[in-house]
Amino acid sequence: KAGVTQTPRYLIKTRGQQVTLSCSPISGHRSVSWYQQTPGQGLQFLFEYFSETQRNKGNFPGRFSGRQFSNSRSEMNVSTLELGDSALYLCASSLQGSDTGELFFGEGSRLTVL
Amino acid sequence: EDQVTQSPEALRLQEGESSSLNCSYTVSGLRGLFWYRQDPGKGPEFLFTLYSAGEEKEKERLKATLTKKESFLHITAPKPEDSATYLCAAPLTGGYQKVTFGTGTKLQVIP
C-alpha cells in the first residue's frame, strides 16, 4: 500500500516568510501527527489531528499551525519564519492515534530558513 | 515528568561485534514502548512495540526487551546495513495523547 507522502521534500525560505507543508497519510488512517526534528533537540511533537480535529498540541509558538481535511490529508503552516525554524518536519499517520501504536512516517520536508 | 532517555548517543561497532542500546523511561503506567530505526534523510521506520516487563520481540539481528525501568535493543552480529539512528518512544500519561521520543543512538557498523 502507498506510504505517507510529504511535499515538498526540500525548500528554502527567508526570515519573515511563511511556509505550508503537506502530508497525505496512508489510506484509512485518520490520525496525522507532525514533528520537528533538529540535531540538538531530536523529534519534538508539534500537533496531532484526528478526523479533522486537533487532538493535542506541543510546546511551540502560535506561528505553527495545522489543519486536517475530510480526506485526512493534513497541512502545517509556519508564519513569520525564524532562523531557528530550520529543521526536518516529519508527519506520521496512524490508524487510531499516535499514542496507541505504530506510526508510519513520511520522508519529511527539509526546511532551510536563511 | 514523563521522560525517555537513550544511551549511548553514538556507538561504533565492528561488523559482527554484538552490543546493546539502552532506553530508560520514567513514564508511569507505561502504555507501550516503541523502537524505530531512522536512516539519514528519511523518516523513522517502526521496529517494535513492547507492552509489559519481560516481553521480548525479535526481527533479524535485532531483539528488543523491556524491564520495569528500561528497554534494551540488542544487536547480534551487526552488519554495515544496520547503521542507522535508533529511536525509542513512549506515550505520555496524564491524559496527554501523544508520544515522547528519545534523542536516539547513532549506530555505525564498520566492515
Side-chain angles (χ1 to χ4, degrees), chain B residues 38-50:
Chain B
Q38 186 174 22
D39 293 303
K42 297 198 171 182
E45 177 187 352
F46 173 80
L47 292 172
F48 307 108
T49 303
L50 302 166

Side-chain angles (χ1 to χ4, degrees), chain A residues 9 35 37 40-43 45 48 55-59 88 90 98-103 105-108 110, chain B residues 31-32 34 36 38 40-47 49 51 85 87 91-92 95-103:
Chain A
R9 290 291 316 281
Y35 298 84
Q37 188 173 37
Q41 298 294 319
L43 269 163
F45 173 78
E48 179 179 2
R55 193 164 175 246
N56 217 326
K57 194 175 190 311
N59 295 324
L88 180 67
L90 292 160
S98 66
D99 60 326
T100 60
E102 181 178 355
L103 292 174
F105 283 87
E107 296 205 320
R110 183 164 295 281
Chain B
R31 294 183 290 129
F34 312 126
Y36 289 84
Q38 186 174 22
K42 297 198 171 182
E45 177 187 352
F46 173 80
L47 292 172
T49 303
Y51 288 106
T85 296
L87 301 164
L92 297 180
Y96 296 103
Q97 296 167 310
K98 58 184 180 181
V99 173
T100 185
F101 280 83
T103 52

Side-chain angles (χ1 to χ4, degrees), chain A residues 10-23:
Chain A
Y10 304 92
L11 62 167
I12 299 173
K13 294 285 186 178
T14 56
R15 281 181 297 174
Q17 287 187 310
Q18 74 165 17
V19 65
T20 299
L21 309 178
S22 178
C23 174

Side-chain angles (χ1 to χ4, degrees), chain A:
Chain A
K1 57 184 176 182
V4 177
T5 304
Q6 290 189 247
T7 57
R9 290 291 316 281
Y10 304 92
L11 62 167
I12 299 173
K13 294 285 186 178
T14 56
R15 281 181 297 174
Q17 287 187 310
Q18 74 165 17
V19 65
T20 299
L21 309 178
S22 178
C23 174
S24 294
I26 290 172
S27 178
H29 285 191
R30 295 185 294 169
S31 163
V32 174
S33 49
W34 287 89
Y35 298 84
Q36 181 195 66
Q37 188 173 37
T38 58
Q41 298 294 319
L43 269 163
Q44 300 290 312
F45 173 78
L46 281 156
F47 29 66
E48 179 179 2
Y49 288 87
F50 189 90
S51 295
E52 301 181 67
T53 301
Q54 189 178 86
R55 193 164 175 246
N56 217 326
K57 194 175 190 311
N59 295 324
F60 280 83
R63 301 185 295 106
F64 292 81
S65 63
R67 58 179 175 168
Q68 187 179 34
F69 302 96
S70 58
N71 62 358
S72 292
R73 189 177 71 86
S74 177
E75 289 182 348
M76 68 162 282
N77 185 77
V78 188
S79 62
T80 319
L81 284 166
E82 301 177 358
L83 295 178
D85 297 333
S86 294
L88 180 67
Y89 290 88
L90 292 160
C91 85
S93 77
S94 64
L95 201 55
Q96 296 185 349
S98 66
D99 60 326
T100 60
E102 181 178 355
L103 292 174
F104 295 83
F105 283 87
E107 296 205 320
S109 294
R110 183 164 295 281
L111 170 65
T112 301
V113 182
L114 302 176

Side-chain angles (χ1 to χ4, degrees), chain B residues 69-95:
Chain B
K69 293 183 178 180
E70 55 196 345
S71 178
F72 294 94
L73 185 65
H74 307 278
I75 303 176
T76 302
K79 297 182 178 181
E81 52 262 42
D82 295 322
S83 298
T85 296
Y86 291 86
L87 301 164
C88 71
L92 297 180
T93 54

